[in-house]
Amino acid sequence: MGEAESKPWREIPWGENSTQQKYVKSYHPHNRHVNHLRILLHGPVGAGKSSFINSVTSALHGRISVTALTDATSGDSFTRNYKTYKIRKENEAGAVYPLVFNDIMGLEESVNRGVCVEDIKLAMMGHVKDGYEFKYGSKLTEDNQDYNKQPTLNDKVHVLACVVPVD
């Protein structure tokens, strides 16, 4: 191996990891009316939205944790329902971190496939209830039982994170 190949392409300050973890573990929203920071993950099918949730959970628990089911082989959207993931705190019975992740069906290029962009907008505004089953090519309507007519600050999305594949 040549000299250029033996050097890392960037230096990673691994020692600072505990400082960052302490910040996340002690985080509380600044608004007293908000119990948790809601993070909505969106992106194409197979990008790794569910895997990202598992990675965050694993990092916070300090071990491999699988809370969100994943599928890397089918090519179709594996996640079909709007699902909220709360990460429980280790060694604190019933306690959860004040951040939640929402996983949704992936975006697809084909017409009438994948999550409807309008459903993403409704989720951001807090109108989509946990468990809502996405329908190809049709959006959630106000007369649907899974439509939240009066969302609270806790129902609304505070962070929209786009997950994209690196391949």
PDB file of all heavy atoms in Angstrom, residues 117-145:
ATOM      1  N   VAL A 117     -46.895  13.438  -2.527  1.00  0.00           N
ATOM      2  CA  VAL A 117     -46.236  14.627  -1.978  1.00  0.00           C
ATOM      3  C   VAL A 117     -47.193  15.392  -1.065  1.00  0.00           C
ATOM      4  O   VAL A 117     -46.780  15.947  -0.047  1.00  0.00           O
ATOM      5  CB  VAL A 117     -45.692  15.531  -3.107  1.00  0.00           C
ATOM      6  CG1 VAL A 117     -45.155  16.836  -2.564  1.00  0.00           C
ATOM      7  CG2 VAL A 117     -44.602  14.798  -3.887  1.00  0.00           C
ATOM      8  N   GLU A 118     -48.470  15.391  -1.388  1.00  0.00           N
ATOM      9  CA  GLU A 118     -49.459  16.077  -0.548  1.00  0.00           C
ATOM     10  C   GLU A 118     -49.522  15.454   0.846  1.00  0.00           C
ATOM     11  O   GLU A 118     -49.749  16.151   1.833  1.00  0.00           O
ATOM     12  CB  GLU A 118     -50.841  16.052  -1.202  1.00  0.00           C
ATOM     13  CG  GLU A 118     -50.928  16.895  -2.463  1.00  0.00           C
ATOM     14  CD  GLU A 118     -50.561  18.361  -2.231  1.00  0.00           C
ATOM     15  OE1 GLU A 118     -51.025  18.945  -1.232  1.00  0.00           O
ATOM     16  OE2 GLU A 118     -49.803  18.912  -3.041  1.00  0.00           O
ATOM     17  N   ASP A 119     -49.312  14.130   0.945  1.00  0.00           N
ATOM     18  CA  ASP A 119     -49.302  13.476   2.258  1.00  0.00           C
ATOM     19  C   ASP A 119     -48.101  13.929   3.087  1.00  0.00           C
ATOM     20  O   ASP A 119     -48.197  14.034   4.315  1.00  0.00           O
ATOM     21  CB  ASP A 119     -49.302  11.953   2.110  1.00  0.00           C
ATOM     22  CG  ASP A 119     -50.690  11.382   1.830  1.00  0.00           C
ATOM     23  OD1 ASP A 119     -51.689  12.136   1.963  1.00  0.00           O
ATOM     24  OD2 ASP A 119     -50.777  10.194   1.487  1.00  0.00           O
ATOM     25  N   ILE A 120     -46.982  14.190   2.444  1.00  0.00           N
ATOM     26  CA  ILE A 120     -45.813  14.701   3.164  1.00  0.00           C
ATOM     27  C   ILE A 120     -46.135  16.076   3.747  1.00  0.00           C
ATOM     28  O   ILE A 120     -45.834  16.363   4.909  1.00  0.00           O
ATOM     29  CB  ILE A 120     -44.563  14.762   2.252  1.00  0.00           C
ATOM     30  CG1 ILE A 120     -44.157  13.357   1.816  1.00  0.00           C
ATOM     31  CG2 ILE A 120     -43.400  15.455   2.971  1.00  0.00           C
ATOM     32  CD1 ILE A 120     -43.048  13.324   0.773  1.00  0.00           C
ATOM     33  N   LYS A 121     -46.775  16.914   2.951  1.00  0.00           N
ATOM     34  CA  LYS A 121     -47.162  18.250   3.423  1.00  0.00           C
ATOM     35  C   LYS A 121     -48.135  18.151   4.592  1.00  0.00           C
ATOM     36  O   LYS A 121     -48.015  18.879   5.584  1.00  0.00           O
ATOM     37  CB  LYS A 121     -47.788  19.058   2.287  1.00  0.00           C
ATOM     38  CG  LYS A 121     -46.820  19.416   1.182  1.00  0.00           C
ATOM     39  CD  LYS A 121     -47.556  20.125   0.049  1.00  0.00           C
ATOM     40  CE  LYS A 121     -46.668  20.401  -1.132  1.00  0.00           C
ATOM     41  NZ  LYS A 121     -47.410  21.027  -2.249  1.00  0.00           N
ATOM     42  N   LEU A 122     -49.117  17.245   4.483  1.00  0.00           N
ATOM     43  CA  LEU A 122     -50.087  17.069   5.567  1.00  0.00           C
ATOM     44  C   LEU A 122     -49.403  16.560   6.834  1.00  0.00           C
ATOM     45  O   LEU A 122     -49.739  16.994   7.942  1.00  0.00           O
ATOM     46  CB  LEU A 122     -51.194  16.100   5.135  1.00  0.00           C
ATOM     47  CG  LEU A 122     -52.180  16.621   4.092  1.00  0.00           C
ATOM     48  CD1 LEU A 122     -53.089  15.493   3.600  1.00  0.00           C
ATOM     49  CD2 LEU A 122     -52.998  17.779   4.647  1.00  0.00           C
ATOM     50  N   ALA A 123     -48.440  15.663   6.680  1.00  0.00           N
ATOM     51  CA  ALA A 123     -47.693  15.153   7.832  1.00  0.00           C
ATOM     52  C   ALA A 123     -46.924  16.285   8.510  1.00  0.00           C
ATOM     53  O   ALA A 123     -46.892  16.379   9.743  1.00  0.00           O
ATOM     54  CB  ALA A 123     -46.738  14.038   7.398  1.00  0.00           C
ATOM     55  N   MET A 124     -46.312  17.145   7.721  1.00  0.00           N
ATOM     56  CA  MET A 124     -45.558  18.260   8.282  1.00  0.00           C
ATOM     57  C   MET A 124     -46.459  19.189   9.109  1.00  0.00           C
ATOM     58  O   MET A 124     -46.034  19.726  10.122  1.00  0.00           O
ATOM     59  CB  MET A 124     -44.858  19.040   7.178  1.00  0.00           C
ATOM     60  CG  MET A 124     -43.727  18.250   6.547  1.00  0.00           C
ATOM     61  SD  MET A 124     -42.874  19.173   5.275  1.00  0.00           S
ATOM     62  CE  MET A 124     -42.200  20.510   6.225  1.00  0.00           C
ATOM     63  N   MET A 125     -47.692  19.338   8.681  1.00  0.00           N
ATOM     64  CA  MET A 125     -48.632  20.214   9.392  1.00  0.00           C
ATOM     65  C   MET A 125     -49.318  19.498  10.564  1.00  0.00           C
ATOM     66  O   MET A 125     -50.125  20.092  11.274  1.00  0.00           O
ATOM     67  CB  MET A 125     -49.671  20.762   8.418  1.00  0.00           C
ATOM     68  CG  MET A 125     -49.058  21.693   7.386  1.00  0.00           C
ATOM     69  SD  MET A 125     -50.276  22.423   6.278  1.00  0.00           S
ATOM     70  CE  MET A 125     -50.690  21.032   5.224  1.00  0.00           C
ATOM     71  N   GLY A 126     -49.012  18.181  10.740  1.00  0.00           N
ATOM     72  CA  GLY A 126     -49.565  17.435  11.866  1.00  0.00           C
ATOM     73  C   GLY A 126     -50.907  16.791  11.611  1.00  0.00           C
ATOM     74  O   GLY A 126     -51.557  16.316  12.543  1.00  0.00           O
ATOM     75  N   HIS A 127     -51.331  16.744  10.358  1.00  0.00           N
ATOM     76  CA  HIS A 127     -52.662  16.214  10.041  1.00  0.00           C
ATOM     77  C   HIS A 127     -52.697  14.696   9.862  1.00  0.00           C
ATOM     78  O   HIS A 127     -53.793  14.128   9.753  1.00  0.00           O
ATOM     79  CB  HIS A 127     -53.207  16.874   8.769  1.00  0.00           C
ATOM     80  CG  HIS A 127     -53.558  18.320   8.953  1.00  0.00           C
ATOM     81  ND1 HIS A 127     -54.549  18.741   9.802  1.00  0.00           N
ATOM     82  CD2 HIS A 127     -53.021  19.429   8.405  1.00  0.00           C
ATOM     83  CE1 HIS A 127     -54.633  20.058   9.763  1.00  0.00           C
ATOM     84  NE2 HIS A 127     -53.713  20.505   8.927  1.00  0.00           N
ATOM     85  N   VAL A 128     -51.551  14.019   9.826  1.00  0.00           N
ATOM     86  CA  VAL A 128     -51.531  12.568   9.600  1.00  0.00           C
ATOM     87  C   VAL A 128     -51.379  11.852  10.942  1.00  0.00           C
ATOM     88  O   VAL A 128     -50.431  12.090  11.686  1.00  0.00           O
ATOM     89  CB  VAL A 128     -50.382  12.162   8.644  1.00  0.00           C
ATOM     90  CG1 VAL A 128     -50.390  10.660   8.415  1.00  0.00           C
ATOM     91  CG2 VAL A 128     -50.501  12.905   7.321  1.00  0.00           C
ATOM     92  N   LYS A 129     -52.324  10.969  11.236  1.00  0.00           N
ATOM     93  CA  LYS A 129     -52.271  10.206  12.490  1.00  0.00           C
ATOM     94  C   LYS A 129     -51.339   9.004  12.341  1.00  0.00           C
ATOM     95  O   LYS A 129     -51.205   8.437  11.257  1.00  0.00           O
ATOM     96  CB  LYS A 129     -53.669   9.722  12.882  1.00  0.00           C
ATOM     97  CG  LYS A 129     -54.601  10.833  13.320  1.00  0.00           C
ATOM     98  CD  LYS A 129     -55.940  10.265  13.751  1.00  0.00           C
ATOM     99  CE  LYS A 129     -56.902  11.340  14.169  1.00  0.00           C
ATOM    100  NZ  LYS A 129     -58.219  10.762  14.557  1.00  0.00           N
ATOM    101  N   ASP A 130     -50.748   8.629  13.459  1.00  0.00           N
ATOM    102  CA  ASP A 130     -49.865   7.469  13.486  1.00  0.00           C
ATOM    103  C   ASP A 130     -50.641   6.233  13.025  1.00  0.00           C
ATOM    104  O   ASP A 130     -51.773   6.002  13.450  1.00  0.00           O
ATOM    105  CB  ASP A 130     -49.329   7.262  14.907  1.00  0.00           C
ATOM    106  CG  ASP A 130     -48.130   6.344  14.952  1.00  0.00           C
ATOM    107  OD1 ASP A 130     -47.230   6.496  14.112  1.00  0.00           O
ATOM    108  OD2 ASP A 130     -48.095   5.462  15.833  1.00  0.00           O
ATOM    109  N   GLY A 131     -50.042   5.461  12.138  1.00  0.00           N
ATOM    110  CA  GLY A 131     -50.674   4.243  11.627  1.00  0.00           C
ATOM    111  C   GLY A 131     -51.353   4.410  10.286  1.00  0.00           C
ATOM    112  O   GLY A 131     -51.748   3.416   9.668  1.00  0.00           O
ATOM    113  N   TYR A 132     -51.501   5.645   9.808  1.00  0.00           N
ATOM    114  CA  TYR A 132     -52.143   5.880   8.508  1.00  0.00           C
ATOM    115  C   TYR A 132     -51.444   5.063   7.419  1.00  0.00           C
ATOM    116  O   TYR A 132     -50.225   5.064   7.311  1.00  0.00           O
ATOM    117  CB  TYR A 132     -52.105   7.366   8.154  1.00  0.00           C
ATOM    118  CG  TYR A 132     -52.465   7.667   6.721  1.00  0.00           C
ATOM    119  CD1 TYR A 132     -53.755   7.440   6.242  1.00  0.00           C
ATOM    120  CD2 TYR A 132     -51.520   8.179   5.841  1.00  0.00           C
ATOM    121  CE1 TYR A 132     -54.087   7.719   4.926  1.00  0.00           C
ATOM    122  CE2 TYR A 132     -51.842   8.467   4.524  1.00  0.00           C
ATOM    123  CZ  TYR A 132     -53.125   8.223   4.074  1.00  0.00           C
ATOM    124  OH  TYR A 132     -53.449   8.496   2.766  1.00  0.00           O
ATOM    125  N   GLU A 133     -52.231   4.339   6.636  1.00  0.00           N
ATOM    126  CA  GLU A 133     -51.676   3.545   5.537  1.00  0.00           C
ATOM    127  C   GLU A 133     -51.690   4.380   4.264  1.00  0.00           C
ATOM    128  O   GLU A 133     -52.747   4.806   3.799  1.00  0.00           O
ATOM    129  CB  GLU A 133     -52.469   2.258   5.321  1.00  0.00           C
ATOM    130  CG  GLU A 133     -51.858   1.385   4.246  1.00  0.00           C
ATOM    131  CD  GLU A 133     -52.595   0.070   4.042  1.00  0.00           C
ATOM    132  OE1 GLU A 133     -53.500  -0.252   4.835  1.00  0.00           O
ATOM    133  OE2 GLU A 133     -52.252  -0.633   3.077  1.00  0.00           O
ATOM    134  N   PHE A 134     -50.497   4.613   3.715  1.00  0.00           N
ATOM    135  CA  PHE A 134     -50.386   5.385   2.481  1.00  0.00           C
ATOM    136  C   PHE A 134     -50.982   4.598   1.326  1.00  0.00           C
ATOM    137  O   PHE A 134     -50.845   3.381   1.259  1.00  0.00           O
ATOM    138  CB  PHE A 134     -48.919   5.721   2.186  1.00  0.00           C
ATOM    139  CG  PHE A 134     -48.304   6.614   3.227  1.00  0.00           C
ATOM    140  CD1 PHE A 134     -47.468   6.094   4.199  1.00  0.00           C
ATOM    141  CD2 PHE A 134     -48.572   7.980   3.245  1.00  0.00           C
ATOM    142  CE1 PHE A 134     -46.911   6.914   5.162  1.00  0.00           C
ATOM    143  CE2 PHE A 134     -48.021   8.806   4.201  1.00  0.00           C
ATOM    144  CZ  PHE A 134     -47.188   8.274   5.166  1.00  0.00           C
ATOM    145  N   LYS A 135     -51.616   5.304   0.428  1.00  0.00           N
ATOM    146  CA  LYS A 135     -52.211   4.693  -0.759  1.00  0.00           C
ATOM    147  C   LYS A 135     -51.494   5.254  -1.981  1.00  0.00           C
ATOM    148  O   LYS A 135     -51.346   6.469  -2.111  1.00  0.00           O
ATOM    149  CB  LYS A 135     -53.695   5.043  -0.860  1.00  0.00           C
ATOM    150  CG  LYS A 135     -54.486   4.851   0.412  1.00  0.00           C
ATOM    151  CD  LYS A 135     -55.042   3.468   0.541  1.00  0.00           C
ATOM    152  CE  LYS A 135     -55.988   3.286   1.693  1.00  0.00           C
ATOM    153  NZ  LYS A 135     -55.520   3.559   3.006  1.00  0.00           N
ATOM    154  N   TYR A 136     -51.059   4.381  -2.850  1.00  0.00           N
ATOM    155  CA  TYR A 136     -50.394   4.820  -4.080  1.00  0.00           C
ATOM    156  C   TYR A 136     -51.290   5.793  -4.848  1.00  0.00           C
ATOM    157  O   TYR A 136     -52.448   5.480  -5.127  1.00  0.00           O
ATOM    158  CB  TYR A 136     -50.064   3.642  -4.992  1.00  0.00           C
ATOM    159  CG  TYR A 136     -48.975   2.736  -4.475  1.00  0.00           C
ATOM    160  CD1 TYR A 136     -49.180   1.367  -4.364  1.00  0.00           C
ATOM    161  CD2 TYR A 136     -47.724   3.234  -4.132  1.00  0.00           C
ATOM    162  CE1 TYR A 136     -48.181   0.523  -3.918  1.00  0.00           C
ATOM    163  CE2 TYR A 136     -46.723   2.407  -3.677  1.00  0.00           C
ATOM    164  CZ  TYR A 136     -46.951   1.055  -3.569  1.00  0.00           C
ATOM    165  OH  TYR A 136     -45.964   0.234  -3.119  1.00  0.00           O
ATOM    166  N   GLY A 137     -50.755   6.948  -5.165  1.00  0.00           N
ATOM    167  CA  GLY A 137     -51.450   7.888  -6.030  1.00  0.00           C
ATOM    168  C   GLY A 137     -52.629   8.627  -5.428  1.00  0.00           C
ATOM    169  O   GLY A 137     -53.317   9.337  -6.146  1.00  0.00           O
ATOM    170  N   SER A 138     -52.915   8.451  -4.141  1.00  0.00           N
ATOM    171  CA  SER A 138     -54.017   9.222  -3.553  1.00  0.00           C
ATOM    172  C   SER A 138     -53.588   9.768  -2.206  1.00  0.00           C
ATOM    173  O   SER A 138     -52.831   9.134  -1.473  1.00  0.00           O
ATOM    174  CB  SER A 138     -55.283   8.375  -3.417  1.00  0.00           C
ATOM    175  OG  SER A 138     -55.184   7.477  -2.351  1.00  0.00           O
ATOM    176  N   LYS A 139     -54.086  10.958  -1.907  1.00  0.00           N
ATOM    177  CA  LYS A 139     -53.694  11.613  -0.669  1.00  0.00           C
ATOM    178  C   LYS A 139     -54.742  11.426   0.418  1.00  0.00           C
ATOM    179  O   LYS A 139     -55.890  11.093   0.139  1.00  0.00           O
ATOM    180  CB  LYS A 139     -53.426  13.091  -0.907  1.00  0.00           C
ATOM    181  CG  LYS A 139     -54.664  13.910  -1.197  1.00  0.00           C
ATOM    182  CD  LYS A 139     -54.334  15.395  -1.272  1.00  0.00           C
ATOM    183  CE  LYS A 139     -55.625  16.184  -1.278  1.00  0.00           C
ATOM    184  NZ  LYS A 139     -55.532  17.448  -0.656  1.00  0.00           N
ATOM    185  N   LEU A 140     -54.336  11.671   1.626  1.00  0.00           N
ATOM    186  CA  LEU A 140     -55.221  11.633   2.781  1.00  0.00           C
ATOM    187  C   LEU A 140     -56.223  12.782   2.664  1.00  0.00           C
ATOM    188  O   LEU A 140     -55.852  13.905   2.327  1.00  0.00           O
ATOM    189  CB  LEU A 140     -54.380  11.793   4.063  1.00  0.00           C
ATOM    190  CG  LEU A 140     -55.108  11.838   5.393  1.00  0.00           C
ATOM    191  CD1 LEU A 140     -55.808  10.510   5.670  1.00  0.00           C
ATOM    192  CD2 LEU A 140     -54.125  12.155   6.507  1.00  0.00           C
ATOM    193  N   THR A 141     -57.478  12.492   2.939  1.00  0.00           N
ATOM    194  CA  THR A 141     -58.513  13.520   2.861  1.00  0.00           C
ATOM    195  C   THR A 141     -59.066  13.800   4.258  1.00  0.00           C
ATOM    196  O   THR A 141     -58.947  12.979   5.169  1.00  0.00           O
ATOM    197  CB  THR A 141     -59.668  13.081   1.933  1.00  0.00           C
ATOM    198  OG1 THR A 141     -60.210  11.844   2.425  1.00  0.00           O
ATOM    199  CG2 THR A 141     -59.184  12.896   0.500  1.00  0.00           C
ATOM    200  N   GLU A 142     -59.691  14.963   4.391  1.00  0.00           N
ATOM    201  CA  GLU A 142     -60.200  15.402   5.697  1.00  0.00           C
ATOM    202  C   GLU A 142     -61.273  14.482   6.271  1.00  0.00           C
ATOM    203  O   GLU A 142     -61.453  14.431   7.488  1.00  0.00           O
ATOM    204  CB  GLU A 142     -60.758  16.823   5.594  1.00  0.00           C
ATOM    205  CG  GLU A 142     -59.679  17.866   5.435  1.00  0.00           C
ATOM    206  CD  GLU A 142     -60.224  19.281   5.475  1.00  0.00           C
ATOM    207  OE1 GLU A 142     -61.228  19.534   6.186  1.00  0.00           O
ATOM    208  OE2 GLU A 142     -59.651  20.131   4.786  1.00  0.00           O
ATOM    209  N   ASP A 143     -61.975  13.743   5.433  1.00  0.00           N
ATOM    210  CA  ASP A 143     -63.023  12.863   5.931  1.00  0.00           C
ATOM    211  C   ASP A 143     -62.495  11.476   6.344  1.00  0.00           C
ATOM    212  O   ASP A 143     -63.240  10.649   6.838  1.00  0.00           O
ATOM    213  CB  ASP A 143     -64.149  12.720   4.901  1.00  0.00           C
ATOM    214  CG  ASP A 143     -63.678  12.133   3.574  1.00  0.00           C
ATOM    215  OD1 ASP A 143     -62.484  12.226   3.264  1.00  0.00           O
ATOM    216  OD2 ASP A 143     -64.543  11.591   2.841  1.00  0.00           O
ATOM    217  N   ASN A 144     -61.196  11.256   6.198  1.00  0.00           N
ATOM    218  CA  ASN A 144     -60.576   9.985   6.573  1.00  0.00           C
ATOM    219  C   ASN A 144     -60.364   9.960   8.092  1.00  0.00           C
ATOM    220  O   ASN A 144     -60.008  10.967   8.695  1.00  0.00           O
ATOM    221  CB  ASN A 144     -59.235   9.839   5.836  1.00  0.00           C
ATOM    222  CG  ASN A 144     -58.618   8.477   6.010  1.00  0.00           C
ATOM    223  OD1 ASN A 144     -58.332   8.041   7.118  1.00  0.00           O
ATOM    224  ND2 ASN A 144     -58.384   7.800   4.895  1.00  0.00           N
ATOM    225  N   GLN A 145     -60.563   8.797   8.707  1.00  0.00           N
ATOM    226  CA  GLN A 145     -60.387   8.665  10.156  1.00  0.00           C
ATOM    227  C   GLN A 145     -58.948   8.929  10.598  1.00  0.00           C
ATOM    228  O   GLN A 145     -58.704   9.235  11.770  1.00  0.00           O
ATOM    229  CB  GLN A 145     -60.831   7.280  10.628  1.00  0.00           C
ATOM    230  CG  GLN A 145     -59.945   6.149  10.116  1.00  0.00           C
ATOM    231  CD  GLN A 145     -60.437   4.789  10.562  1.00  0.00           C
ATOM    232  OE1 GLN A 145     -61.526   4.661  11.095  1.00  0.00           O
ATOM    233  NE2 GLN A 145     -59.612   3.781  10.345  1.00  0.00           N
TER     234      GLN A 145
END
